[in-house]
Each structure stands twice: as structure tokens, then as C-alpha cells.
Amino acid sequence: MSPTPPSGIIIDTDPGVDDAIAIIMALAAGLQVDMSKTGQGPKVLGLTTVGGNVPLASGTRNALAVLNAIGRPDIPVYRGSSRPLTGRFSYSFAFHGRTGLPGRLPRPKAATTNQSATEFLAARLRASPEEITLVALGPLTNLARLMQRHPGVLELAGSLFIMGGAVNSPGNVTPHAEFNFYSDPVAADMVMSTTIPITLVDLGASRQVALSRKQVAALKGGNRMGELVIRLLQDWFRLDHGRKQFQFYDPLALAAAIDPQVVGGRHLTLRVETEDQERLGVSQVAGLGGNVLVAERVDSARFFSMIKRLFGWEEFDPENPL
Ligand code: RIB
Ligand code: CA
């Protein structure tokens, strides 16, 4: 998988606590490009929002609020789909909190642009074919709508990193289905059928990178972004005293886009169940080989050393189980 190309990344997202951390990671990495000009980090070209964890309006407000909180209101945000291709979103208020982000961030000053997510994606992908990395962290509705309205344009992306699915691992919203794929199975099946290189960070992979309540309670300091991430994590644990660990679902997908060596796996051909109501959203292996690299091995040490560096958490030792 080629490293993130210089022209940057676009993040499709339904913030959501883990989405917010992934967005902050991308901006922290991109900042390193500005500071050191080493070209190590990606340049974030914009965020496109989609309903999923919370209604579109809440997720969009959360995206703007996170950008505002880290001093990056310059990053444009484009509103996408408020509903899946079929049915309705089921939302995940219990996990992310009533607003989608626990705690309270200052009201953002910036607003979304007038251009829709689909039109922004189409324009940028046409302008920089093969150069943009897409990172999809929510239901895949926006990408599927792009495929419907602008056939062939999604395939202009250089690569696509997706958090979603549960390939050979239990689901988190039904026994076999993962939330993003379950939220819009038709969109997920359409996107799995594209020809661009996909790296799929599913539940089996993202369950390999988690921090316990004690480890999060021990986090301290860091740069401005690291301090906000600590607040988000600690507020998330406060939502439910029974919570034992935070799994870095979306941050792992983002980390793989920045440094593809964070994950390894097999290339498979995947389909997503769209008919059987008992198995809606289930990710199914349709063949060996293909365009989807399903992350099976995770270098958790590499992942945590990345977030330690990006957030400036000098004393953080993920190996210390506390
Ligand atoms: O199943 C985990 C995924 O669903 C993550 O993207 C999380 O943010 C939720 O959207
Ligand atoms: Ca998400």
C-alpha cells in the first residue's frame, strides 16, 4: 500500500468520540508536515459528515467543534447524508452520549460550506486523480451516493481506508454485524465492490488496540491536541461506570492511512449482506485475493507510539497495564 500521497486526505466521519480522536490525530500528523516539512504527515483537505453515531446535524456540529477546539477552523466541513440509502440510521447515543461527544466543547464559530459532501468529493477527486487518500469512519452512505451521482469518480481516489465490518469476528451491533456496515449495508456492499485499493480496519483489528479505564485515568499532559483527547476519553468513561476499556476503532483506521505498516493482513473479495434481515450488514468473504486488504495483524506498539508522539504524551506507557 503506498504511503499517504502529498496531496492529502479527506475524512468521511460521523463524530462520535473515536471519530473525533481520529480527526485530531490526522491534524496532529499534518501539523508535523507544516513544522518539519518532512512530508511525513498527511494534509487534511476537508471533512465530510454523515449520519450514523448521531444525526447528521449533531455530527456536523461535533466536527466543527473539534476543529475549533484545536485551533483549526480553517479545515472545511461538508455536510453529507442524513439517511442511509435504505431505511434509517439507528444512532448510538448510549455509546457516544446524547450529543455524540461527552463533555462540552465551545460552540464552533465556523459553519459548514454550502457545497455538499458528494460534490466536494467529486470535485477534489477529479482535480487530483490517484493522489487523495479517503478515510471513511462512519456508514458508507456518502461514498455510495458519490458512486451513484458520479460513476467512476470514487475510483479516482489513490486509496481508501475504512473502519467497518467484522470479518471472522463477532459484531458489535448484532452478533455478526458491525455498526457502520449495519447502518447502511447497501452502501457498504457497493463500496466493497469498487476497484480502488481498500484497507479495511474491522472490529477484529480494532479490538487489538484499547486502553483500560485505569490507563486513561493515568493519562496526563501532552500538547493542546493531546489534552483534548484525554478529556474526550475521560468524559467517555464517565458516561457509564461499567465501562472497562476504550477501543480505538476509527483512530486505528486513520493510523493505517498515515502509516500502512501499522496493520497487515490478507487481500480478500468482500460482500455485505443486504437482504437477510437477520444478517443485515454482515461482512462476508466472497473470495481470496481482491482489492480489500483486511487488517488481521495490528502492530499495537507502533500504533500507540504514534499517538504518544502525536499527542505529546511523554509519560504514556501502553505496555503498563496499570
Ligand atoms: O463499529 C465502530 C464504528 O461505529 C466506529 O466508526 C464508531 O465511530 C461507530 O461509528
Ligand atoms: Ca465512526
Side-chain angles (χ1 to χ4, degrees):
M1 186 68 62
S2 63
T4 303
S7 68
I9 68 171
I10 295 172
I11 303 174
D12 190 63
T13 179
D14 63 333
V17 180
D18 58 323
D19 300 70
I21 295 171
I23 292 165
I24 297 168
M25 280 172 69
L27 290 163
L31 192 62
Q32 287 177 2
V33 174
D34 296 346
M35 284 191 301
S36 61
K37 302 293 180 216
T38 60
Q40 276 175 349
K43 184 163 181 54
V44 178
L45 301 173
L47 306 183
T48 53
T49 57
V50 61
N53 284 320
V54 289
L56 176 68
S58 304
T60 303
R61 186 186 59 244
N62 291 340
L64 291 166
V66 166
L67 293 172
N68 182 59
I70 57 175
R72 295 303 307 272
D74 57 299
I75 302 288
V77 177
Y78 302 85
R79 291 166 58 92
S81 305
S82 59
R83 296 175 58 171
L85 296 187
T86 54
R88 288 188 176 283
F89 289 130
S90 50
Y91 305 134
S92 180
F93 296 118
F95 186 86
H96 294 276
R98 186 177 47 75
T99 66
L101 284 184
R104 293 189 67 77
L105 292 182
R107 177 183 295 276
K109 301 176 187 66
T112 57
T113 70
N114 293 330
Q115 192 175 34
S116 74
T118 309
E119 295 315 307
F120 164 68
L121 287 164
R124 285 311 304 248
L125 290 171
R126 284 189 172 113
S128 311
E130 302 300 317
E131 290 186 9
I132 291 176
T133 295
L134 297 181
V135 181
L137 305 177
L140 293 169
T141 316
N142 288 342
L143 300 193
R145 289 228 187 275
L146 176 68
M147 294 172 69
Q148 290 174 331
R149 293 174 186 161
H150 301 279
V153 170
L154 178 62
E155 284 74 9
L156 294 177
S159 54
L160 171 55
F161 291 78
I162 296 172
M163 194 285 136
V167 181
N168 305 323
S169 68
N172 62 354
V173 67
T174 70
H176 306 292
E178 178 277 330
F179 179 82
N180 287 337
F181 279 23
Y182 177 80
S183 295
D184 195 338
V186 175
D189 191 50
M190 285 173 64
V191 172
M192 285 305 112
S193 68
T194 57
T195 56
I196 51 172
I198 293 174
T199 298
L200 183 73
V201 173
D202 76 337
L203 289 180
S206 50
R207 283 178 175 134
Q208 298 180 48
V209 282
L211 288 181
S212 69
R213 181 186 286 267
K214 278 187 179 175
Q215 286 175 307
V216 165
L219 290 174
K220 57 176 179 288
N223 55 39
R224 175 178 184 178
M225 298 182 189
E227 287 173 346
L228 175 58
V229 170
I230 291 174
R231 253 181 61 197
L232 288 169
L233 287 170
Q234 292 178 349
D235 287 343
W236 181 83
F237 273 106
R238 284 193 196 100
L239 286 177
D240 176 344
H241 295 297
R243 287 173 171 172
K244 293 184 171 47
Q245 60 172 205
F246 179 87
Q247 292 171 354
F248 287 84
Y249 301 116
D250 293 342
L252 181 60
L254 194 285
I258 296 174
D259 174 8
Q261 292 180 61
V262 162
V263 297
R266 286 182 297 160
H267 281 88
L268 298 172
T269 300
L270 289 188
R271 302 315 302 258
V272 179
E273 178 59 52
T274 59
E275 302 291 333
D276 177 350
Q277 294 304 305
E278 295 300 308
R279 294 178 55 77
L280 271 187
V282 173
S283 21
Q284 296 153 338
V285 178
L288 299 180
N291 66 315
V292 182
L293 171 66
V294 177
E296 294 170 323
R297 296 182 306 282
V298 176
D299 185 338
S300 57
R302 194 177 180 103
F303 169 77
F304 282 115
S305 69
M306 179 194 289
I307 64 170
K308 176 173 180 167
R309 172 172 53 82
L310 292 178
F311 297 148
W313 293 343
E314 298 306 327
E315 295 171 36
F316 171 51
D317 173 10
E319 299 305 313
N320 178 356
L322 284 182

